[in-house]
Amino acid sequence: MMSSATKTVKAHILVIDDKPANLELLQRVLERRGFGVTVANGHQTAFALLESWYPDLILLDIMMPDLDGYQVCEWLKNNPNTADIPVIFLSALTDMLDKIKGFSAGGVDYITKPFQIAEVMARVETHLKIAQLQQSLRVHNQRLESEIIQREKTEQALAKNQRYLSTLISNLPGVVYQRYNDKQWTMEFISEGCLALTGYSADEFMSNSEFSLSQLIPSTYHESLWQTIQLALLEHRPFQLMYPLQHKDGSQRWLWEQGQGIFHHNGQLETLEGFIQDITHQKQAKDALAQTQQHLMIALETIPDGFVYYDSEDKLFFCNDHFRRLYKKIEQHLQSGVSFSTFLQAGLNGNLYELGNVPSALWLQRRLNRHQQGGCYEQLLCSGRWLEITERRTQDGGYVGLHSDMTERKINESYLKQLNQKLLFFIHQTPLAYIEWNTELFITHWNAAAERIFGYRAEEVLNKPLSNFIVSLPENNYQESCLMMNSNCLIVNQTKDNYEIICEWYNTPLIGEKGEVVGFAALAQDVTERQQTEKALKQAKEQAEVANRAKTAFLANMSHELRTPLNGVLGCAQILLRDQTLSDKQRQSIGIIHRSGEHLLMLINDLLDFSRIESGRLQLNIASLRLDQLLQDIADFFILRCREKQLQFQYNANAILKRELVVEADARRLRQILINLLSNAVKFTEKGQIGLNVNYHEGLFHFNIADTGCGMEAEFLRRIFSSFQRGQHHLEGAGLGLAISHRLVDLMGGELRVETQVEQGTRFHFALALPIIQSGFNSSAKIIGYVHPHEKPIHILIITDNVDIHKQLYNLLRPLGFKLEQANSGREGLIKAEQFLPDVILMNSHLPEISGFHCVRYLRKNPSFSQTVIMMFSTVSLEENEEMASKALAEGCTCFLKEITGEGILLDALAEYCDLTWQFFEPSPLSFAQQESSDGELTCFLPVAVLQKLLEQALIGNIKAISLQLETLFPLYPESNVFLKRVEELTQNLQVTKLKNLLQNVLARVEKES
C-alpha cells in the first residue's frame, strides 16, 4: 500500500489496481490536481483499509487476480459502510456487455483503457460533485425539517443539483427515465437521448401525449416484460430487460434496460426509474456469432466422420455424435474436461485397440507422441474395424482430430489386391492371348499365350508397333481400324512363321482417371479349327433341313393321297352297312373295316397337323371366343367319356369363368389341346378321377389337367413331347398327340409342363395370356349362393344412412346366404363392428357423426380389423369418385366401389377379396324342339342306320368318331348338307347335349316318315 502525504485536499480517492504502473500514474495525476490519493494493489489491501477509513471515491480495475473488479464492487455495495461510495471502473474491456456488467455490479461510470487524463479527471470531478451534491441534498433535506427559513437557499441548491444531474443525464449514452408502473409505460420523465434511441422527442412520450413507448415494442414481448418487472418489484430488487423496438425510420433496434422501483417509507410504490441503452450492434454481433456456431455444430454433426477438439490443456472440449459411436465402448470417458491421456488409457483398459506385439506402455507413448506431432495414421481396433486418424494443432494450442471409419476402404483395397492377383494369374495362365497397346498403337503387354499363338516372344514385340506383328492393314487407315475395332470380331492374322490363322478378338478401351482413353486391352484366341468345323456343321445342317422339308412335304402329300381312297373305303363300308341282305358275320366284318378306316383317318389328320407344324405353315386363327362356354362344353363331353369307364370327372374354375367371358384365341387349337390332354388322361386312367382346373391370375389363364392314372417313368418323361412317342403301356395311337399339343401351346406363347408319379397319376399345366374382350355376369345364369373354402357364412356389416341403398343391398345379398348387420351412422358402425367382428364392411364415404374415412382410420388401428375386408362406396359424381378412391385406399380400404347400384361390380369384388365361388341356378334341360324349333325342321335324307350310328357315338361322347364319319357323309349325301353342317357345328363346339337332342328328334321323324 502507498499513501499520499498529509495535507489539505479536495477529496480522498482510493485507487485499486494490481498494476504498479497504473497506480503510480493515477496517484501522480490526482495528487497534482489536489486530491488525496490512497492506492491498493489488490482486494485484500483495499478491504483492510476500508475497515476503518472511507474514501470519497474509488477507482477500481476489473482484471485482477483472485477477485476481479466486479466481485470487489459487489462486496463494497453489500457493505453498509461503503455502499454509498461511488465506484468508477477502469478496464481494457471494451465490450458493451462488460460495461453492462459493471453498471449491474453497482459502478457509476466505466472508463476504458488506455484512458485520457482529461477524461479521467472530468469524470472523477463529475462523480465527486454528484456525490457531494447527493450529500448536500441529504443535509439540506435534514435541515429542511428543522430550518424552514433556509428553504429558499435549499431550493436554489436543489435546482443547481438538478442542473448538474440534467447535464450528466444528457451526456449519458442512453436514456434515463421515470415512469408509472403501468402497461402503457407512461413517462413522468425521459431524457433527451430518446430522440437518438427512438427517433421521437421526449415531449412526444411525456404522459403519453402522442403515444407510449410500449407501442414501439412488439406486442408479443409485452406480457413477458410486464411479468419480469412485477416480479422484481415484488422482491424489491432491480430488473433488467432486453427487447426490440421499432425506430421511427422503420429499422429495428435492440435495447437493454435496467431499472428499479422507488418505494415510499411506508412501502408504497411511487415510481419506476431506470436507464435504457441501445445494444443493437452487440445483439447483432452476438446473434451472428450464435448462428455461426449453430451452423458449425450442424456441419460437425452431419459429417460422416468422428470429430473431436481438445483444448490447450489437452482436455476434451467437444466431440460429435459419430465420434461417440466410434468409441461407444468407452463413452463414459468422452465427457468435457477428460484429458487425452485418460481417454487413451481407458481405451487400453477396455481392449479397444489392437496392439499387435507392441507393449501397451510403448504403444501409449508412441500414440501420445503422434498426438503432439499431428499428422495422419491408421489404427486397427479389436473389433476388426480400421480408423484413419488425422490430427492438427490449432493456433490456441489445442488440437482437432478427424477419425474416419476406413474399414470398407480396407476391405475394398484387400479385395482389389486379390482381384489384381487373380487378374495376373489369369493373364499368365489363360490359353487366350492377352495384349495391351497404348493410343499410339505400341504394344505394352504380351502374355505367354500370345507367344504361343503368334510365335513372338514378349521382348520381340514390347514397345513396338502393333501393325508389325498382329495384322497387316493399309498404313493410311491402320490406326483408325485398330481404334475403331469392334469389341468382338474375327480377324485373319499372320504368325511369325507366316501362317495365316483366324483369331477371335475381344477388345476394350482402357479408361484413365479423367475418363479419357489411355490405351486398349484385348483377348484373342485361335479359332481356325473351330471355323472349319462350324463351316462343315453349317453345310450338314443345310442338308438336314433340305431332307426334313422333303420328308414333311412327302408326309403331307402322302396324307392327302391316302385320304382320297380312304374316304371311298369308308363310303362303301357305310353303303354296305345299309344293305339289309347282309349276314351278321358280313355286317361284323364290314363294321371292322369301317372302324379301322376311321382310326386310320384320325392318324392321317394328326400327320397333317404335325407336317404343318414342322414346316412352319400352321398359323393361328385368332378370333373372339366364349371361353366359359368352350370349357363347359368340353367338361360336358368328358363327363360322358369318364362315365363309360366309371371314372369321376371334376371341372373347377374361379369366379371369372363362371360368367360370360369373351377372349381372343384360336378356338379350334385350344379345343384340340384340351381334348388331346384330357383324352390321354382318360386313356391311361383305369380308376379314380380326371380333373380340369382353370384359373385366372395376374393376366394369365392357367389350365391344369390331372388324372389318377398309371403315371410315367422318369426315362420316358424326358422324351414325352417328342414325335411318335407312345406310353410305356403301348395303347392305341401314333404318339403325335402330346407332340402336337406341346407345339401348339408354344405357338400360343405358353409352355406345356408335366408332373408325374408312377401309379399316382399325371398333371399337365400350361398358362396362356388371352386378351379379355368382355367380362360380366351372364344375365341368363342366376346366382343362388356361394361356396367359401372354409365353408363358413360371410358376415357383412352395411354402414349407410341411405335407406334405399340399404334395402337394395339387403335384397341382393340376403337371398345368397350372407349374414347382414346394419348401422345408420359412423359411430353406430364402429360400435357394431367391435360387437359383431364382421368379415366384410360395406361403408358409405359420407356418414353422419363420423365420416367413413375416419371410421376406416380408426378400424385399421385396431388389430382385430387389420385383415377385415373394408369396401367403401359413394353416391357423389364420377369426378369426385376418382379423388375419393385414392383417398380411401390411402386410409386403408381394401377397395373402392365406384358404383354400388350394379350387382356385377359388388359381386365381383366379394368373389375376389373373400375367395368365393358362386353357385348358379341350372334349369332342367328342355327338349330340343323347345330349345331350337328350327333344328327339328331341318331336311335330312340320311338312312336310319346312319342316324342310329351317329346317335350311338353321341351318346358315348365319341366326338372324334362323329367328325370322321361326317367327312364321308358330306360327299355321299349332298342333299343333306344343311343338316350335316348343323351336326358338324355342334360337334366342333362339343355341345353334346344339343347334338343328342337333334339326332333323337330327326331320327324319330325319319323313322315315322318311313
Side-chain angles (χ1 to χ4, degrees):
M1 180 191 74
M2 299 177 64
S3 177
S4 61
T6 302
K7 60 180 180 179
T8 302
V9 294
K10 292 191 292 184
H12 292 280
I13 298 175
L14 174 60
V15 182
I16 306 173
D17 198 325
D18 63 331
K19 302 294 190 297
N22 293 340
L23 292 174
E24 182 179 356
L25 174 61
L26 289 171
Q27 181 178 9
R28 184 171 65 251
V29 171
L30 292 170
E31 286 179 347
R32 190 180 301 161
R33 298 295 181 94
F35 293 100
V37 181
T38 301
V39 298
N41 60 1
H43 72 280
Q44 294 178 346
T45 304
F47 290 172
L49 286 170
L50 293 172
E51 288 180 357
S52 57
W53 172 75
Y54 307 106
D56 299 303
L57 186 140
I58 297 174
L59 294 174
L60 177 60
D61 186 29
I62 294 178
M63 302 298 292
M64 296 188 298
D66 298 330
L67 291 181
D68 59 26
Y70 301 129
Q71 295 170 311
V72 173
C73 185
E74 290 174 355
W75 183 89
L76 293 172
K77 296 304 176 182
N78 291 328
N79 189 336
N81 296 324
T82 60
D84 295 328
I85 301 174
V87 178
I88 299 176
F89 284 105
L90 296 170
S91 176
L93 301 174
T94 61
D95 191 274
M96 181 56 66
L97 295 177
D98 296 315
K99 294 180 181 181
I100 292 171
K101 188 174 181 182
F103 288 116
S104 300
V108 298
D109 209 342
Y110 191 108
I111 302 174
T112 58
K113 297 178 183 180
F115 48 77
Q116 299 293 327
I117 298 301
E119 180 187 4
V120 174
M121 295 311 301
R123 296 200 183 194
V124 167
E125 290 177 353
T126 299
H127 286 291
L128 283 173
K129 287 179 181 179
I130 292 174
Q132 290 170 3
L133 290 173
Q134 290 174 345
Q135 181 63 27
S136 298
L137 284 174
R138 285 193 291 271
V139 173
H140 286 304
N141 287 336
Q142 293 173 359
R143 290 177 181 178
L144 187 62
E145 295 178 358
S146 61
E147 301 178 5
I148 300 301
I149 59 175
Q150 297 296 328
R151 178 181 299 173
E152 186 174 325
K153 183 178 180 179
T154 302
E155 289 178 353
Q156 293 175 354
L158 182 59
K160 183 179 180 180
N161 287 337
Q162 287 178 340
R163 285 197 303 273
Y164 288 150
L165 183 60
S166 177
T167 301
L168 176 62
I169 289 174
S170 298
N171 291 310
L172 286 175
V175 171
V176 176
Y177 68 84
Q178 185 180 67
R179 69 178 179 87
Y180 295 118
N181 181 33
D182 59 11
K183 292 188 176 182
Q184 288 73 37
W185 292 33
T186 304
M187 293 294 174
E188 297 180 80
F189 168 79
I190 185 169
S191 64
E192 293 298 331
C194 67
L195 182 62
L197 194 70
T198 67
Y200 300 96
S201 66
D203 292 338
E204 293 178 278
F205 287 111
M206 294 300 294
S207 300
N208 297 340
S209 61
E210 299 290 336
F211 50 83
S212 66
L213 185 65
S214 64
Q215 291 178 267
L216 304 181
I217 302 172
S219 59
T220 54
Y221 285 80
H222 287 179
E223 187 61 29
S224 61
L225 295 176
W226 171 259
Q227 294 297 335
T228 301
I229 295 172
Q230 300 313 304
L231 181 61
L233 294 176
L234 186 64
E235 298 175 355
H236 286 258
R237 60 173 174 79
F239 56 83
Q240 292 183 358
L241 309 173
M242 187 169 67
Y243 50 85
L245 178 138
Q246 188 75 23
H247 194 274
K248 187 176 183 179
D249 62 9
S251 63
Q252 187 184 69
R253 308 289 179 90
W254 277 91
L255 306 183
W256 176 85
E257 176 181 343
Q258 177 166 312
Q260 62 182 13
I262 306 300
F263 294 88
H264 194 265
H265 60 83
N266 62 2
Q268 185 73 27
L269 177 66
E270 293 185 349
T271 187
L272 299 181
E273 295 180 353
F275 175 76
I276 303 175
Q277 187 175 8
D278 188 343
I279 60 167
T280 304
H281 295 302
Q282 296 92 317
K283 182 68 167 58
Q284 291 173 346
K286 183 179 179 181
D287 290 346
L289 178 61
Q291 187 175 17
T292 301
Q293 290 176 340
Q294 183 182 10
H295 291 167
L296 178 60
M297 293 300 296
I298 293 174
L300 292 178
E301 290 295 351
T302 53
I303 61 175
D305 302 314
F307 176 85
V308 64
Y309 174 73
Y310 281 86
D311 61 20
S312 58
E313 297 180 1
D314 232 5
K315 294 182 178 180
L316 180 64
F317 182 79
F318 169 80
C319 66
N320 65 359
D321 287 341
H322 195 81
F323 186 88
R324 294 181 182 276
R325 288 196 295 270
L326 289 175
Y327 295 98
K328 186 173 181 62
K329 195 172 182 180
I330 55 171
E331 188 174 7
Q332 65 273 22
H333 296 281
L334 299 180
Q335 306 299 325
S336 180
V338 176
S339 67
F340 180 73
S341 58
T342 303
F343 166 73
L344 287 181
Q345 190 62 52
L348 287 173
N349 297 339
N351 294 323
L352 181 64
Y353 307 108
E354 179 61 55
L355 308 183
N357 297 325
V358 180
S360 58
L362 179 59
W363 181 91
L364 180 62
Q365 186 59 46
R366 289 178 179 175
R367 181 67 179 86
L368 288 172
N369 291 340
R370 287 178 177 174
H371 176 68
Q372 294 296 328
Q373 297 168 2
C376 183
Y377 44 90
E378 299 173 357
Q379 175 64 56
L380 176 62
L381 303 182
C382 291
S383 62
R385 306 200 73 80
W386 280 91
L387 297 182
E388 182 180 56
I389 302 173
T390 304
E391 295 175 334
R392 294 285 186 274
R393 280 289 170 182
T394 60
Q395 292 181 353
D396 61 357
Y399 94 92
V400 293
L402 200 64
H403 295 233
S404 306
D405 189 338
M406 59 177 299
T407 307
E408 187 174 350
R409 190 174 78 193
K410 277 284 189 181
I411 294 173
N412 291 337
E413 289 176 354
S414 175
Y415 179 67
L416 183 60
K417 184 178 180 180
Q418 294 177 10
L419 285 181
N420 288 334
Q421 291 175 348
K422 292 178 181 178
L423 180 59
L424 288 175
F425 175 80
F426 169 78
I427 289 173
H428 292 308
Q429 300 297 325
T430 180
L432 303 179
Y434 179 78
I435 304 167
E436 290 183 13
W437 62 90
N438 57 26
T439 55
E440 297 177 355
L441 306 182
F442 283 85
I443 298 173
T444 57
H445 192 90
W446 185 274
N447 72 345
E451 294 181 354
R452 292 193 301 271
I453 292 174
F454 298 104
Y456 296 100
R457 297 191 308 275
E459 55 268 21
E460 294 180 278
V461 298
L462 290 178
N463 300 318
K464 294 182 180 178
L466 186 66
S467 58
N468 294 353
F469 308 99
I470 303 304
V471 61
S472 297
L473 295 173
E475 293 184 0
N476 59 347
N477 66 350
Y478 180 77
Q479 181 173 358
E480 181 180 356
S481 299
C482 289
L483 293 178
M484 300 300 292
M485 193 180 293
N486 293 330
S487 59
N488 184 6
C489 57
L490 292 174
I491 301 178
V492 178
N493 303 120
Q494 280 189 334
T495 66
K496 184 178 181 180
D497 299 330
N498 292 325
Y499 286 106
E500 283 191 352
I501 58 175
I502 301 174
C503 289
E504 189 169 13
W505 288 77
Y506 304 89
N507 306 322
T508 184
L510 301 176
I511 308 301
E513 295 181 356
K514 298 180 180 179
E516 77 283 10
V517 176
V518 296
F520 294 86
L523 292 173
Q525 62 175 333
D526 186 350
V527 295
T528 306
E529 293 183 1
R530 191 184 76 187
Q531 286 290 307
Q532 295 172 350
T533 303
E534 289 178 355
K535 184 177 180 180
L537 289 175
K538 184 178 180 181
Q539 293 175 350
K541 179 184 177 183
E542 291 175 352
Q543 293 174 357
E545 289 177 350
V546 171
N548 189 51
R549 286 194 295 270
K551 178 203 71 174
T552 302
F554 172 76
L555 285 176
N557 292 332
M558 287 301 297
S559 297
H560 284 291
E561 291 297 328
L562 289 172
R563 283 170 62 88
T564 301
L566 186 58
N567 285 330
V569 172
L570 289 173
C572 291
Q574 290 175 354
I575 293 173
L576 290 174
L577 286 173
R578 293 200 300 270
D579 190 347
Q580 303 296 327
T581 62
L582 294 177
S583 64
D584 292 340
K585 184 176 182 180
Q586 290 173 328
R587 187 177 296 278
Q588 183 178 7
S589 299
I590 295 173
I592 294 173
I593 294 173
H594 188 267
R595 287 193 298 275
S596 299
E598 288 180 340
H599 180 66
L600 183 58
L601 185 60
M602 179 185 67
L603 295 179
I604 292 172
N605 289 334
D606 284 346
L607 282 173
L608 281 174
D609 280 343
F610 185 73
S611 67
R612 292 193 190 101
I613 293 173
E614 285 285 296
S615 61
R617 291 185 291 109
L618 180 65
Q619 293 183 350
L620 298 177
N621 182 21
I622 304 299
S624 297
L625 162 68
R626 273 284 303 276
L627 182 60
D628 59 309
Q629 184 175 339
L630 181 143
L631 293 173
Q632 190 61 55
D633 289 343
I634 292 177
D636 292 342
F637 170 69
F638 277 96
I639 287 174
L640 299 176
R641 291 284 302 275
C642 290
R643 193 175 296 164
E644 292 177 5
K645 296 185 67 175
Q646 296 183 345
L647 298 174
Q648 292 183 352
F649 183 84
Q650 291 186 351
Y651 168 54
N652 296 309
N654 58 1
I656 194 172
L657 290 161
K658 294 294 186 179
R659 57 194 178 191
E660 288 187 8
L661 181 65
V662 181
V663 300
E664 287 186 345
D666 187 328
R668 178 184 176 189
R669 297 305 176 186
L670 181 58
R671 184 186 296 109
Q672 183 179 358
I673 294 168
L674 293 173
I675 290 176
N676 277 345
L677 296 176
L678 287 168
S679 297
N680 279 345
V682 174
K683 184 191 302 182
F684 292 103
T685 303
E686 298 301 327
K687 62 180 179 178
Q689 65 182 21
I690 309 296
L692 171 61
N693 296 287
V694 185
N695 293 290
Y696 180 76
H697 181 64
E698 295 183 355
L700 292 176
F701 287 92
H702 296 266
F703 298 85
N704 290 274
I705 296 90
D707 63 61
T708 58
C710 57
M712 290 175 279
E713 299 286 350
E715 179 181 356
F716 179 73
L717 193 61
R718 288 191 293 268
R719 49 189 174 85
I720 186 174
F721 296 126
S722 300
S723 308
F724 305 104
Q725 296 295 321
R726 300 171 65 190
Q728 55 261 45
H729 296 279
H730 301 296
L731 298 178
E732 63 178 8
L736 289 175
L738 286 179
I740 292 172
S741 297
H742 183 264
R743 304 286 180 88
L744 290 176
V745 170
D746 184 66
L747 194 61
M748 292 180 176
E751 180 183 2
L752 183 59
R753 298 180 179 180
V754 60
E755 299 173 5
T756 184
Q757 190 172 355
V758 177
E759 303 302 332
Q760 296 294 323
T762 303
R763 185 178 79 91
F764 287 90
H765 168 263
F766 63 95
L768 299 176
L770 306 178
I772 298 176
I773 299 176
Q774 180 182 347
S775 174
F777 280 99
N778 189 342
S779 58
S780 63
K782 182 180 179 182
I783 299 176
I784 59 173
Y786 63 88
V787 177
H788 188 269
H790 301 300
E791 298 183 355
K792 68 168 187 176
I794 300 299
H795 195 151
I796 300 177
L797 172 61
I798 303 172
I799 308 176
T800 178
D801 61 332
N802 189 313
V803 178
D804 294 334
I805 291 179
H806 178 260
K807 287 182 179 179
Q808 178 185 355
L809 295 176
Y810 186 89
N811 294 332
L812 171 65
L813 299 175
R814 175 69 75 177
L816 301 184
F818 293 101
K819 291 189 174 182
L820 304 180
E821 294 290 341
Q822 179 191 3
N824 298 319
S825 67
R827 186 181 303 278
E828 183 185 358
L830 294 178
I831 294 173
K832 288 197 173 182
E834 294 181 346
Q835 181 180 356
F836 296 105
L837 297 177
D839 302 294
V840 179
I841 298 177
L842 272 172
M843 182 186 303
N844 201 335
S845 59
H846 292 80
L847 293 171
E849 299 183 13
I850 303 176
S851 73
F853 298 107
H854 284 85
C855 290
V856 175
R857 197 178 309 148
Y858 176 83
L859 290 171
R860 287 307 190 203
K861 292 180 180 178
N862 189 337
S864 300
F865 299 97
S866 61
Q867 302 299 322
T868 303
V869 176
I870 302 179
M871 300 182 183
M872 183 174 285
F873 61 89
S874 177
T875 56
V876 298
S877 63
L878 292 176
E879 293 77 7
E880 295 181 29
N881 261 347
E882 295 295 334
E883 299 179 2
M884 286 192 176
S886 301
K887 185 177 180 181
L889 296 177
E891 292 291 352
C893 288
T894 308
C895 68
F896 184 86
L897 304 177
K898 296 183 179 179
E899 184 181 342
I900 195 64
T901 56
E903 65 179 51
I905 296 176
L906 175 58
L907 296 182
D908 273 354
L910 288 172
E912 179 178 358
Y913 295 109
C914 298
D915 196 17
L916 304 180
T917 300
W918 299 118
Q919 295 177 324
F920 294 89
F921 172 72
E922 297 182 0
S924 58
L926 302 174
S927 67
F928 183 78
Q930 290 174 309
Q931 292 178 15
E932 297 185 36
S933 58
S934 60
D935 284 354
E937 300 175 359
L938 290 175
T939 302
C940 176
F941 298 99
L942 295 179
V944 173
V946 174
L947 289 172
Q948 289 176 340
K949 180 64 175 178
L950 289 173
L951 181 58
E952 289 176 7
Q953 300 294 345
L955 290 173
I956 63 174
N958 194 345
I959 295 297
K960 187 171 290 188
I962 295 174
S963 299
L964 294 174
Q965 190 172 357
L966 287 173
E967 293 184 11
T968 61
L969 294 177
F970 274 109
L972 293 175
Y973 302 99
E975 67 279 5
S976 299
N977 273 357
V978 175
F979 171 75
L980 292 175
K981 285 184 178 294
R982 177 59 178 163
V983 173
E984 184 181 45
E985 179 185 349
L986 296 175
T987 303
Q988 289 178 348
N989 293 329
L990 301 179
Q991 294 175 299
V992 179
T993 302
K994 291 183 178 181
L995 179 61
K996 289 189 297 182
N997 291 335
L998 172 64
L999 292 173
Q1000 287 173 346
N1001 290 334
V1002 172
L1003 178 61
R1005 177 166 57 82
V1006 171
E1007 287 179 341
K1008 183 179 180 180
E1009 292 175 353
S1010 61

